Amino acid sequence: KQEVTQIPAALSVPEGENLVLNCSFTDSAIYNLQWFRQDPGKGLTSLLLIQSSQREQTSGRLNASLDKSSGRSTLYIAASQPGDSATYLCAAQHAGGTSYGKLTFGQGTILTVHP
Amino acid sequence: DGGITQSPKYLFRKEGQNVTLSCEQNLNHDAMYWYRQDPGQGLRLIYYSQIVNDFQKGDIAEGYSVSREKKESFPLTVTSAQKNPTAFYLCASSISVYNEQFFGPGTRLTVL
């Protein structure tokens, strides 16, 4: 059974700092890895999707990497801003078997960027 | 505007009542999903549908039911058999089960 873990559970940083959020998964048979952002009381916003054949994806100040063999993904946020404060979730998409296509989510990292 | 809508935003239910949460999408996506989110537990899959008139149980389907009569709509009924229904419910859709999922704004259900 796939398990997804995110470290740290919470992170507080001053504005302008570069930071890394970590995601690990136990089953490397994944189709892709998605990173989401969730603001309090809101739905999820998709940030980046990395296919299993890719090593990284970039969007603006965000860069996500994937190392399938070691079961790890990282989300790098450059020059953090107070508007980046939110919960960040990673999710691994299953590649086959009866759970094909299913997303398994981590519990999230709560990020606070203070001015 | 293309997207996923969920209604209502807040829902209150008395014990013993069934309630239905609405999810509509105009993205022409074949696949739709229902997740439940509890504090500290992340998202868990309740039901998903790959195509109209088809749906499959997820990890926590007990006490829930769904239908998929139209491509655009995937309503979720929380029945009185669901022992702890208070949670935040999120609907999602994707072109197919292997594509990126997009989420609606959610419905917060509270049992009184």
Side-chain angles (χ1 to χ4, degrees):
Chain A
K1 180 186 171 186
Q2 178 76 277
E3 292 183 4
V4 178
T5 304
Q6 291 187 245
I7 295 173
L11 184 61
S12 180
V13 300
E15 182 176 4
E17 197 159 295
N18 301 327
L19 56 98
V20 174
L21 307 182
N22 297 291
C23 172
S24 63
F25 46 95
T26 55
D27 185 351
S28 62
I30 63 169
Y31 194 71
N32 62 48
L33 193 292
Q34 270 190 267
W35 282 93
F36 295 90
R37 169 188 172 134
Q38 185 176 31
D39 293 292
K42 306 289 187 185
L44 275 63
T45 300
S46 180
L47 296 174
L48 290 164
L49 181 147
I50 314 175
Q51 300 283 0
S52 62
S53 58
Q54 297 174 318
R55 297 286 291 186
E56 64 180 85
Q57 279 283 345
T58 298
S59 175
R61 294 182 294 108
L62 304 180
N63 175 278
S65 67
L66 175 64
D67 184 344
K68 223 174 73 160
S69 60
S70 67
R72 293 181 184 173
S73 177
T74 60
L75 179 67
Y76 176 83
I77 302 177
S80 59
Q81 303 170 357
D84 294 330
S85 298
T87 297
Y88 291 81
L89 295 152
C90 70
Q93 190 164 39
H94 295 230
T98 57
S99 298
Y100 66 91
K102 174 190 164 186
L103 282 179
T104 298
F105 283 84
Q107 295 182 337
T109 294
I110 302 171
L111 173 64
T112 303
V113 181
H114 47 89
Chain B
D1 253 348
I4 304 171
T5 57
Q6 292 186 241
S7 62
K9 186 173 181 180
Y10 299 98
L11 186 57
F12 298 91
R13 189 194 94 169
K14 292 181 182 177
E15 294 218 12
Q17 283 184 337
N18 293 352
V19 291
T20 297
L21 283 60
S22 169
C23 177
E24 304 275 333
Q25 55 95 3
N26 61 3
L27 301 168
N28 201 32
H29 286 172
D30 281 320
M32 296 187 74
Y33 314 81
W34 275 105
Y35 293 90
R36 170 182 171 138
Q37 187 175 33
D38 295 280
Q41 291 197 46
L43 275 73
R44 293 179 289 169
L45 182 65
I46 304 172
Y47 269 98
Y48 68 100
S49 168
Q50 296 184 61
I51 201 164
V52 175
N53 294 321
D54 173 77
F55 50 83
Q56 306 292 331
K57 292 182 179 179
D59 297 322
I60 54 167
E62 186 176 349
Y64 299 97
S65 66
V66 294
S67 63
R68 186 86 187 276
E69 297 174 2
K70 298 188 298 182
K71 188 175 187 177
E72 311 80 44
S73 178
F74 191 40
L76 173 74
T77 297
V78 184
T79 75
S80 56
Q82 169 48 235
K83 303 244 183 287
N84 185 20
T86 294
F88 189 48
Y89 290 87
L90 289 158
C91 176
S93 72
S94 60
I95 295 172
S96 78
V97 291
Y98 278 116
N99 291 95
E100 185 176 8
Q101 292 185 23
F102 296 90
F103 283 75
T107 292
R108 185 164 300 279
L109 172 63
T110 303
V111 173
L112 302 173

